[in-house]
Protein backbone atom coordinates (compact mmCIF):
# COMPACT_ATOMS: atom_id res chain seq x y z
CA UNK A 1 0.00 0.00 0.00
CA UNK A 2 1.13 3.50 -0.83
CA UNK A 3 -0.43 6.71 0.46
CA UNK A 4 -0.01 9.97 -1.44
CA UNK A 5 -0.74 13.37 0.09
CA UNK A 6 -0.75 16.41 -2.16
CA UNK A 7 -0.44 20.06 -1.23
CA UNK A 8 0.21 23.41 -2.85
CA UNK A 9 -2.84 24.05 -4.99
CA UNK A 10 -4.73 27.31 -4.99
CA UNK A 11 -5.85 30.36 -6.93
CA UNK A 12 -3.35 32.33 -8.98
CA UNK A 13 -3.51 34.93 -11.71
CA UNK A 14 -2.51 34.20 -15.26
CA UNK A 15 1.27 34.32 -15.57
CA UNK A 16 1.77 33.36 -11.94
CA UNK A 17 3.43 30.35 -10.37
CA UNK A 18 2.55 27.53 -8.00
CA UNK A 19 4.44 24.54 -6.66
CA UNK A 20 2.65 21.29 -5.94
CA UNK A 21 4.06 18.70 -3.55
CA UNK A 22 3.19 15.05 -3.14
CA UNK A 23 4.51 13.08 -0.19
CA UNK A 24 4.50 9.30 -0.41
CA UNK A 25 4.36 6.90 2.52
CA UNK A 26 3.87 3.17 3.00
CA UNK A 27 5.56 0.74 0.62
CA UNK A 28 7.79 3.38 -0.91
CA UNK A 29 10.61 0.98 -1.78
CA UNK A 30 8.60 -0.47 -4.64
CA UNK A 31 7.57 2.87 -6.15
CA UNK A 32 8.93 3.23 -9.65
CA UNK A 33 7.56 6.14 -11.67
CA UNK A 34 5.83 9.10 -10.08
CA UNK A 35 3.96 11.86 -11.80
CA UNK A 36 1.20 14.38 -12.04
CA UNK A 37 -2.05 14.17 -13.95
CA UNK A 38 -4.89 16.66 -14.17
CA UNK A 39 -8.59 16.57 -14.87
CA UNK A 40 -10.77 19.53 -15.76
CA UNK A 41 -14.59 19.39 -15.48
CA UNK A 42 -16.09 17.35 -18.30
CA UNK A 43 -12.71 16.20 -19.56
CA UNK A 44 -10.65 13.05 -19.25
CA UNK A 45 -7.72 12.86 -16.88
CA UNK A 46 -4.53 13.69 -18.75
CA UNK A 47 -0.83 13.29 -18.12
CA UNK A 48 1.05 16.41 -17.09
CA UNK A 49 4.51 15.10 -16.22
CA UNK A 50 6.24 11.95 -14.99
CA UNK A 51 9.63 11.16 -13.51
CA UNK A 52 11.39 7.83 -13.11
CA UNK A 53 13.47 6.66 -10.14
CA UNK A 54 16.53 7.70 -12.14
CA UNK A 55 15.16 11.16 -12.79
CA UNK A 56 14.14 10.79 -16.40
CA UNK A 57 11.28 13.16 -17.07
CA UNK A 58 8.43 13.32 -19.55
CA UNK A 59 6.04 16.22 -20.13
CA UNK A 60 2.83 16.91 -21.97
CA UNK A 61 3.42 19.23 -24.90
CA UNK A 62 1.07 21.79 -23.38
CA UNK A 63 3.30 22.31 -20.34
CA UNK A 64 6.80 21.92 -21.77
CA UNK A 65 8.97 24.89 -20.92
CA UNK A 66 6.58 26.04 -18.18
CA UNK A 67 6.35 23.14 -15.72
CA UNK A 68 9.17 21.23 -14.05
CA UNK A 69 8.81 17.93 -12.22
CA UNK A 70 11.37 16.88 -9.64
CA UNK A 71 11.77 14.16 -7.08
CA UNK A 72 13.43 14.09 -3.67
CA UNK A 73 14.02 10.44 -2.87
CA UNK A 74 15.21 11.20 0.67
CA UNK A 75 11.87 12.86 1.43
CA UNK A 76 9.80 10.49 -0.73
CA UNK A 77 8.30 13.55 -2.34
CA UNK A 78 7.64 14.64 -5.90
CA UNK A 79 7.17 18.27 -6.87
CA UNK A 80 5.62 20.11 -9.78
CA UNK A 81 6.83 23.66 -10.27
CA UNK A 82 4.34 25.46 -12.48
CA UNK A 83 5.36 28.78 -14.02
CA UNK A 84 3.62 31.10 -16.46
CA UNK A 85 0.29 29.54 -15.61
CA UNK A 86 -2.59 29.95 -18.03
CA UNK A 87 -6.36 29.76 -17.48
CA UNK A 88 -6.39 26.48 -19.42
CA UNK A 89 -4.19 24.96 -16.70
CA UNK A 90 -7.16 25.16 -14.33
CA UNK A 91 -7.84 21.60 -13.17
CA UNK A 92 -7.72 19.22 -10.27
CA UNK A 93 -4.16 17.91 -10.16
CA UNK A 94 -3.56 14.33 -9.04
CA UNK A 95 -0.31 12.79 -7.88
CA UNK A 96 0.42 9.32 -9.21
CA UNK A 97 2.84 6.63 -8.09
CA UNK A 98 3.36 3.31 -9.82
CA UNK A 99 4.59 0.38 -7.79
CA UNK A 100 6.37 -2.51 -9.45
CA UNK A 101 6.91 -5.98 -8.03
CA UNK A 102 7.65 -9.33 -9.63
CA UNK A 103 3.94 -10.09 -9.54
CA UNK A 104 2.32 -6.85 -10.57
CA UNK A 105 2.39 -3.18 -11.47
CA UNK A 106 -0.12 -0.97 -9.66
CA UNK A 107 -0.97 2.73 -9.79
CA UNK A 108 -1.80 4.76 -6.72
CA UNK A 109 -3.47 8.17 -6.71
CA UNK A 110 -3.61 11.10 -4.36
CA UNK A 111 -6.85 12.83 -3.43
CA UNK A 112 -6.27 15.72 -5.82
CA UNK A 113 -5.57 19.40 -5.34
CA UNK A 114 -7.40 22.21 -7.13
CA UNK A 115 -5.44 24.68 -9.24
CA UNK A 116 -7.38 27.67 -10.53
CA UNK A 117 -5.82 30.24 -12.85
CA UNK A 118 -7.74 33.46 -13.35
CA UNK A 119 -7.39 35.55 -16.50
Amino acid sequence: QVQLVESGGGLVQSGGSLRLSCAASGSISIINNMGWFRQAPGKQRELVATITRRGITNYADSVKGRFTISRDSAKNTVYLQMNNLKPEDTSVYYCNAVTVTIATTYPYWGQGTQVTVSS
Side-chain angles (χ1 to χ4, degrees), residues 20-104:
L20 306 182
S21 301
C22 172
S25 61
S27 301
I28 57 175
S29 64
I30 58 172
I31 293 176
N32 193 352
N33 289 7
M34 296 188 73
W36 291 93
F37 290 68
R38 65 187 182 186
Q39 187 168 18
K43 294 188 177 182
Q44 289 189 330
R45 190 171 297 189
E46 63 177 5
L47 179 147
V48 177
T50 61
I51 185 167
T52 69
R53 291 180 71 113
R54 295 186 179 183
I56 298 171
T57 58
N58 180 52
Y59 295 92
D61 287 343
S62 59
V63 306
K64 282 181 181 177
R66 300 188 298 121
F67 291 11
T68 302
I69 189 170
S70 59
R71 185 169 177 172
D72 186 334
S73 297
K75 295 182 179 180
N76 304 313
T77 300
V78 64
Y79 304 95
L80 185 68
Q81 177 65 44
M82 304 185 293
N83 298 328
N84 190 22
L85 282 159
K86 303 176 181 180
E88 52 263 42
D89 294 318
T90 295
S91 282
V92 178
Y93 284 70
Y94 295 91
C95 179
N96 168 263
V98 178
T99 60
V100 178
T101 67
I102 294 175
T104 188

